[in-house]
Amino acid sequence: KKKRKGPSDWAIVANMIDARRTLDKRIEEMLEAMDESIPRFRVRQDIKVSMASAQVVPLISYAADCNAMKDLQEIQSWCLEGEDDG
């Protein structure tokens, strides 16, 4: 038996989905139907993520204002919010 505390909060994080595929078109409503109280975050696709990775540079240094970075900062804020409660 583990003696450590498990996570107190859950969220669903997904990269942007290909809206042309049938399942992907309905994923948002499917996730919401499962449990609308679980926060959901999306990370928009951005070529700058690949470029930063290829150059082994943190995304925040390479392209702090790109859409993916803004999305990741929103997730970070949500995660840090929970630390204040603990």
Side-chain angles (χ1 to χ4, degrees), residues 18-75:
D18 186 348
R20 296 171 292 178
R21 297 191 312 218
T22 304
L23 175 63
D24 293 352
K25 287 179 183 178
R26 296 183 42 237
I27 194 76
E28 283 295 317
E29 65 187 58
M30 289 170 33
L31 291 172
E32 192 169 316
M34 287 173 46
D35 187 344
E36 61 186 46
S37 69
I38 297 174
R40 288 181 303 284
F41 299 96
R42 286 200 242 171
V43 179
R44 291 171 279 187
Q45 293 181 352
D46 196 317
I47 190 68
K48 292 176 183 174
V49 175
S50 299
M51 293 169 71
S53 296
Q55 295 180 31
V56 194
V57 176
L59 183 59
I60 190 97
S61 300
Y62 186 82
D65 63 339
C66 75
N67 288 330
M69 190 68 235
K70 292 173 187 172
D71 296 339
L72 292 169
Q73 288 172 327
E74 181 183 352
I75 296 166

